[in-house]
Amino acid sequence: MGPYRLEGRLGGGGMGQVFLGRSPGGRLVAVKLVRPELADDPGFRRRFALEAEAARRVGGFYTAQLVDADPDADPPWLVTAYIPGPSLHQAVEAHGPMPPEAISVLGAGLAEGLGAIHACGLVHRDLKPSNVILAADGPRVIDFGITRALDATSHTLSRAVIGTPSFMSPEQARGHEIGPASDVFSLGLVLAFAATARSPFGTGPAEAIVYRVAHDDPDLTGLPAHLADLVKRCLAKTPGNRPSVTDILGQLTDFTQATTQWLPPPIATMITERQVHTPPTPALTPPSDPGTHRSGTTPDALEHAPATDPSGDTEQHPDEPDQGPSDGIHTPSRRRLPRRLFLAGGLAALSAAAAPIGWDYWSHRNRLTGEDLYTVAFSPDGRTIAGGNISGDGWLWATDSHDVITDFSSANSDNSALAFTPDGSALVTAGMREPLSFRDPSTARVTISLASPLGSAQTMAFSADGSQLVVAGNIPIGNLEAPEICIVWDVKAQKLKHTMPFASRASSGVNSAAFIDNDSLILAGGNLTEGSTNGFWRWNLPSGELKPMGPDGWGSAVAVSPHGKQYALGGAHGCSLTSAQGTAPRVISNAHVDALAFSPDGATLAVADKDGIRLRDAATGRTKTTITDRRASTLAFHPDGRFLVSGGWFVDGKGGWLWPLNDT
């Protein structure tokens, strides 16, 4: 790309794809190519050029320098210094919370890096653990400066907010103008994550997290004493009450002066491994003309190369065997694992072929993607899997080969809910302030687009006969007043039949919905009516009556068995089963549930909770099989029960997997 030779794909994010490259002089660099739909926007190119020029001026010891960019290229690209080290996200995921001394060095380095960014008139806007690289001589802030160009484009399209829910500021959540103080809030969240391995505002749907960021106090339990007060001040709701990066640096300096080896040995080893396995510098060859690749390798040829984005967008899971691609790129052959280049956060190493037996093998071999997955579905004939996320990414995979048939993006960067029509004639998608899009099930091209009053789509489901479609959601990011939280469509007439308005400011909206019959639905959520604490409701469509039907507290998931005789309710209370006859819910698990799915014959219930995914006997509730200890936020059975597909966006369950069930 320009004078840079591309050597492997590192990953992808909201702006585009990232490749490992070499400069004409042989230095390793990270090359980011902008997504085509962004490149087609002249306004984006102008902002990209301005922000890239500003980012070039950012110096200092704790940032990854922007060394080159071409906003006029097709596609536009930028090049940053390459840092052979894990992201903070990867390090904490692999080894748990960092010690207090290391967090002090981390905080001081990040404060100094942010100070250099702010001095050039920039705001990072997306500081998070995956945008912090850990090097032997201190942390580095990456992906700064350019987010504003993407942010402005997204606002033009949809008034969406760019940022990561668990690490954004209250003013970001509300869609307000932001400044350096917003980065200080994010820094406080990053330090809390490093110290506790969790977000101070908890987990759950993105919209619920954003609501807590804007309104609730953070949970700072477990923070070291010398950091607790500092982090608390960083997390002040009012920007003017937060410390400056200079104040933060001054407070942490006393704890960092005597520190030489700043990282604990296990994380230091991660850095050493990346340095040892970095590809050697090749013999110098004359540079080619700009716009050509000296090696002849094109981005398209590298698009499916296994690797990991150093920004943390696609990451290796530490408990998976290091036997090949762990970034979520599927393995095309089921017979053996090919010998392929493996790049983990900058790590480049050849991995030998291996084929262990058991679930760990399938976890590795049948991983569909390493990107966040908020929703998954099988086509009625079982040949295709669809998946999407809140970043606007969408995919169709072939079930048998696991190959990507096509990928697609939504107009406004959100594909958080999708479903196939029962007759297989269309794939329907929706998201935050998205139209309801009917897509060709083979190509994912939009054939029908219907304007929707829904603030943010979190879930959708068809009635058994396909005549009705329910779409429901939560409070949309950047607009805490949603016009509607649940709507039902007449599919044939393409008209709204029923709507449920946003009733309570304390409401977390609807997280999951399923038809009982054509006249009633089960909804999971929180505080759907003023003053209520129920997590599950039965919505009678003809009368509009909402009737509580399950345990109190957060409701995450509901499922109705194929024969309609049994219901599963999952949430903060755990998992419970009830019947169409109205029997009292019977709790079969106490762990917080994230997703549920009945098998096609109704005999098995798949339950995803904080401990992983288990298949349970639908009659007794007893565990039949443990699929994995990874978390999942969405589940779907193959129409004939041969497979279970899971997707997630959690730290310990990010990506999508296809699990074979014939041996279970």
Side-chain angles (χ1 to χ4, degrees):
M1 186 56 57
Y4 302 94
R5 185 178 66 210
L6 305 185
E7 299 199 345
R9 181 179 182 272
L10 296 176
M15 182 172 287
Q17 297 196 70
V18 185
F19 298 89
L20 180 69
R22 281 193 188 274
S23 71
R27 291 289 299 270
L28 285 173
V29 293
V31 182
K32 177 167 283 190
L33 307 186
V34 172
R35 288 164 50 182
E37 57 267 36
L38 295 175
D40 290 340
D41 177 8
F44 171 83
R45 283 183 182 266
R46 287 192 297 271
R47 290 185 295 272
F48 181 85
L50 291 172
E51 295 297 317
E53 188 59 35
R56 282 181 198 257
R57 301 196 300 270
V58 177
F61 296 107
Y62 298 106
T63 61
Q65 179 101 29
L66 178 66
V67 298
D68 202 357
D70 188 349
D72 298 320
D74 189 16
W77 53 264
L78 60 86
V79 176
T80 64
Y82 168 79
I83 302 161
S87 70
L88 175 62
H89 188 164
Q90 291 170 316
V92 171
E93 183 182 42
H95 301 293
M98 297 174 68
E101 298 80 7
I103 298 172
S104 296
V105 178
L106 173 71
L110 296 182
E112 187 170 327
L114 288 176
I117 293 168
H118 296 164
C120 293
L122 297 171
V123 179
H124 191 295
R125 296 170 175 262
D126 197 21
L127 183 68
K128 57 186 177 181
S130 57
N131 277 339
V132 175
I133 301 297
L134 305 181
D137 57 350
R140 300 291 192 280
V141 180
I142 66 172
D143 276 4
F144 54 86
I146 307 302
T147 307
R148 184 177 176 87
L150 180 60
D151 187 35
T153 300
S154 178
H155 271 76
T156 299
L157 291 174
S158 67
R159 298 189 61 80
V161 174
I162 297 300
T164 303
S166 295
F167 297 95
M168 65 170 52
S169 66
E171 55 269 33
Q172 249 180 313
R174 294 187 172 98
H176 294 171
E177 189 65 29
I178 65 173
S182 178
D183 285 346
V184 170
F185 192 95
S186 298
L187 173 58
L189 293 170
V190 167
L191 296 180
F193 173 83
T196 63
R198 58 179 173 78
S199 166
F201 292 103
T203 61
E207 295 84 353
I209 295 173
V210 168
Y211 185 90
R212 291 181 218 133
V213 167
H215 296 280
D216 294 352
D217 293 330
D219 178 6
L220 301 181
T221 305
L223 278 178
H226 75 286
L227 287 174
D229 179 67
L230 174 63
V231 170
K232 184 177 181 179
R233 289 190 293 121
C234 289
L235 299 183
K237 301 297 185 188
T238 302
N241 293 340
R242 299 170 201 157
S244 68
V245 290
T246 302
D247 294 335
I248 296 170
L249 189 58
Q251 181 166 335
L252 293 176
T253 299
D254 293 340
F255 296 94
T256 62
Q257 288 176 341
T259 302
T260 52
Q261 301 295 328
W262 76 287
L263 287 169
I267 299 178
T269 299
M270 295 175 76
I271 297 173
T272 302
E273 290 173 346
R274 282 154 174 76
Q275 293 171 334
V276 168
H277 294 289
T278 296
T281 301
L284 294 179
T285 58
S288 59
D289 293 333
T292 64
H293 304 277
R294 288 185 290 160
S295 65
T297 305
T298 66
D300 287 343
L302 292 170
E303 181 175 356
H304 296 294
T308 300
D309 185 348
S311 71
D313 281 332
T314 49
E315 299 179 348
Q316 177 188 359
H317 290 280
D319 56 336
E320 285 183 349
D322 271 0
Q323 298 154 344
S326 60
D327 65 335
I329 306 302
H330 64 274
T331 305
S333 170
R334 297 177 71 176
R335 294 188 177 88
R336 66 182 183 86
L337 186 63
R339 186 179 297 269
R340 307 169 80 181
L341 183 65
F342 172 39
L343 307 168
L347 171 63
L350 286 175
S351 51
I357 298 174
W359 288 117
D360 284 342
Y361 165 69
W362 285 110
S363 170
H364 176 65
R365 295 292 294 274
N366 281 25
R367 194 174 183 189
L368 298 171
T369 181
E371 305 290 343
D372 290 349
L373 270 187
Y374 275 63
T375 180
V376 292
F378 277 103
S379 61
D381 62 9
R383 296 179 180 179
T384 305
I385 305 167
N389 64 25
I390 200 170
S391 299
D393 304 310
W395 300 268
L396 294 180
W397 293 279
T399 302
D400 289 340
S401 67
H402 318 140
D403 288 335
V404 175
I405 299 171
T406 188
D407 54 18
F408 57 93
S409 298
S410 67
N412 298 336
S413 299
D414 196 342
N415 281 314
S416 52
L418 57 78
F420 285 95
T421 57
D423 63 3
S425 62
L427 170 68
V428 184
T429 63
M432 184 175 65
R433 298 203 174 280
E434 288 283 335
L436 190 68
S437 297
F438 286 72
R439 300 174 180 268
D440 183 292
S442 300
T443 66
R445 296 186 183 219
V446 176
T447 57
I448 299 172
S449 183
L450 304 176
S452 170
L454 196 68
S456 177
Q458 177 79 14
T459 182
M460 70 166 59
F462 280 93
S463 59
D465 63 4
S467 65
Q468 298 180 94
L469 172 67
V470 59
V471 188
N474 308 88
I475 307 163
I477 298 173
N479 177 16
L480 300 179
E481 298 287 350
E484 308 288 344
I485 58 172
C486 192
I487 56 179
V488 176
W489 290 85
D490 181 317
V491 176
K492 185 176 180 180
Q494 298 178 11
K495 293 182 179 179
L496 285 174
K497 289 184 66 176
H498 309 279
T499 63
M500 179 189 297
F502 179 70
S504 166
R505 187 166 181 79
S507 173
S508 61
V510 177
N511 300 317
S512 182
F515 277 95
I516 297 174
D517 51 43
N518 280 353
D519 289 332
S520 56
L521 290 150
I522 298 180
L523 308 176
N527 305 325
L528 296 188
T529 62
E530 196 70 46
S532 169
T533 59
N534 289 94
F536 304 91
W537 302 79
R538 182 166 181 154
W539 185 19
N540 183 283
L541 297 178
S543 68
E545 179 188 14
L546 267 178
K547 183 178 180 182
M549 61 172 295
D552 286 352
W554 181 273
S556 302
V558 295
V560 177
S561 64
H563 45 62
K565 297 180 180 179
Q566 196 170 25
Y567 317 142
L569 313 175
H573 77 284
C575 180
S576 56
L577 292 171
T578 185
S579 69
Q581 287 72 39
T583 56
R586 175 168 52 94
V587 177
I588 61 173
S589 168
N590 292 316
H592 187 130
V593 170
D594 299 304
L596 297 167
F598 276 102
S599 62
D601 62 4
T604 300
L605 177 67
V607 180
D609 57 33
K610 68 180 184 63
D611 298 320
I613 304 173
R614 288 170 176 76
L615 301 185
R616 293 179 174 271
D617 186 293
T620 65
R622 294 176 182 172
T623 299
K624 299 164 63 175
T625 303
T626 297
I627 301 292
T628 177
D629 60 0
R630 295 191 180 283
R631 293 183 69 180
S633 55
T634 180
L635 298 169
F637 274 97
H638 187 274
D640 68 7
R642 288 188 299 132
F643 297 102
L644 178 75
V645 64
S646 67
W649 53 271
F650 302 105
V651 171
D652 55 351
K654 180 177 179 178
W657 286 266
L658 184 65
W659 308 97
L661 303 180
N662 50 323
D663 295 329
T664 66

